[in-house]
Amino acid sequence: MRSGRFLKCALEVAVLCVLLLAVPSQATSYDPVKEGWALPVYVLPPEGGWDTPEGRSVWCGLMAYGEKTAGTRAGIGGYEFEFVRDFDKDCVAVISFLEGRRGNDVVKAYGRQGPVVVSGFGEDLGLREGKGVLPYAFALDLPRGCVGSALGRYVKAYRKGERFAPLADPLDIYMRPAVNGFIYELPGDIAPFWVQVGMSLDAAFREIRAGGVDGIASFLNASDTQYLWVKCKNLGLTLLSSLPLWAISPSLEGILAADQGWAVDNDPLLRDVTLEVFDAVRVRPECPGMAARAFAVASWLGNALKLVDKVSDLRAGMEKAASFSLGSQTLLPDPVTHRTRGRKVTVLKLINGNFVPLCEFRLNPDSALEVRL
């Protein structure tokens, strides 16, 4: 009698275990994308791939945004984003953290016919084609010419009465927008001195010096800029450079440069971004600035989706989306250039081997300052 009850209980436990074991397999087969409420977004990692500090930080930022929207009743206009690492025909958008030639290839591949492609960088990307902007291409950064604009504004605001002569290579398509930005901020005051192929840089410097200047604005490569630094140092002249910070030798004491990434990577509010990411995924991003960029790009896409009635109208939503945050910066999409308005660009001086911020300017994108590829 007692043994019969024991066998009956054992049988019930066995049946219950079978049922419980069946539950995970059912949950695993559930696909929110196929269910229709999760929209796949293809993400391309920075150079080096996902298994790098930058790649892991980007992924953390995207996961943090996903967790934030999943915790709301309405989600993103009734949807959620599913960030994926492999492209699928159902992907509604592409996020790219590639720069240079590969970044431009991605922009061109998707920017003409879609889906929406948005770069987490974009300073040296060409979003324009012919007389217009690529309809599906967007970028978080200002175009390359913002560096020249910031340096020009610095001269106008803090070096009044001083004359700076810009030196540039007329064939350098990457530096040309920075030259345009510099001259645009100082109309009528200066004209660029074009260093033609085969021209002696020493002869060019002597000719400019004879005109009486207080400083040089170099839009030349790293080796030529270093040569100009030696000349300026010997004569007590100020040297401005449009080179990216990483391309400037720490030995060029006193040189001035401008950069829009510095304000992101050194933003005091990155502490809050780090905490938000940690609360969401229980991991601290190794590169908080990259996590902030990823969160900002996802926010731009999310705000665009909330604005439109159909997912197929996401491109139009990107042009008119509400403002979103990049650390402490509040950015607004610009419908003409497909970039963001109100970005901080910092002017820095190299002191004892380290760049020290002197001032910053909030700039808006301008089509004339784009790199034309």
Side-chain angles (χ1 to χ4, degrees), residues 91-348:
C91 287
V92 299
V94 176
I95 296 175
S96 173
F97 282 88
L98 292 171
E99 299 180 85
R101 185 182 298 275
R102 293 183 65 196
N104 268 302
D105 289 345
V106 171
V107 165
K108 294 293 190 292
Y110 299 107
R112 295 186 180 99
Q113 296 182 336
V116 164
V117 55
V118 54
S119 171
F121 291 105
E123 182 173 300
D124 286 328
L125 298 185
L127 300 191
R128 296 189 63 79
E129 189 170 64
K131 295 182 178 180
V133 67
L134 290 167
Y136 289 89
F138 299 82
L140 192 62
D141 281 352
L142 295 173
R144 184 78 179 94
C146 73
V147 171
S149 295
L151 292 173
R153 289 199 183 189
Y154 165 77
V155 171
K156 186 164 57 178
Y158 297 98
R159 308 297 287 265
K160 293 179 180 178
E162 298 185 29
R163 295 185 64 238
F164 280 77
L167 269 75
D169 180 350
L171 301 180
D172 191 334
I173 61 172
Y174 283 97
M175 287 298 186
R176 190 63 179 262
V179 177
N180 293 341
F182 186 76
I183 294 172
Y184 177 79
E185 295 295 335
L186 302 166
D189 293 347
I190 55 170
F193 191 96
W194 301 111
V195 181
Q196 305 288 345
V197 176
M199 178 183 290
S200 164
L201 195 58
D202 192 50
F205 185 85
R206 285 198 305 270
E207 187 173 337
I208 289 175
R209 184 77 181 100
V213 295
D214 301 286
I216 302 290
S218 172
F219 298 92
L220 300 173
N221 60 37
S223 59
D224 288 342
T225 298
Q226 188 156 350
Y227 175 85
L228 290 174
W229 176 82
V230 173
K231 289 288 189 180
C232 289
K233 181 178 175 62
N234 292 337
L235 294 171
L237 301 178
T238 300
L239 179 62
L240 313 178
S241 173
S242 64
L243 288 170
L245 301 185
W246 57 264
I248 298 176
S249 168
S251 65
L252 304 187
E253 183 76 9
I255 195 172
L256 276 71
D259 187 73
Q260 63 181 313
W262 197 93
V264 177
D265 295 330
N266 294 276
D267 193 328
L269 280 190
L270 285 184
R271 293 192 300 268
D272 295 346
V273 174
T274 298
L275 288 174
E276 190 164 1
V277 170
F278 183 79
D279 288 343
V281 297
R282 314 311 296 175
V283 173
R284 294 187 183 277
E286 298 157 88
C287 303
M290 295 295 287
R293 285 179 177 273
F295 196 95
V297 169
S299 299
W300 189 355
L301 282 169
N303 290 355
L305 185 60
K306 292 175 185 176
L307 196 65
V308 298
D309 296 325
K310 298 181 295 183
V311 176
S312 58
D313 293 333
L314 186 61
R315 181 192 69 81
M318 290 292 288
E319 296 180 348
K320 304 172 184 177
S323 60
F324 57 92
S325 296
L326 175 60
S328 63
Q329 301 182 61
T330 301
L331 307 179
L332 190 67
D334 180 69
V336 176
T337 62
H338 285 192
R339 295 179 181 270
T340 56
R341 301 174 63 85
R343 279 295 300 271
K344 291 180 180 178
V345 183
T346 309
V347 176
L348 308 106

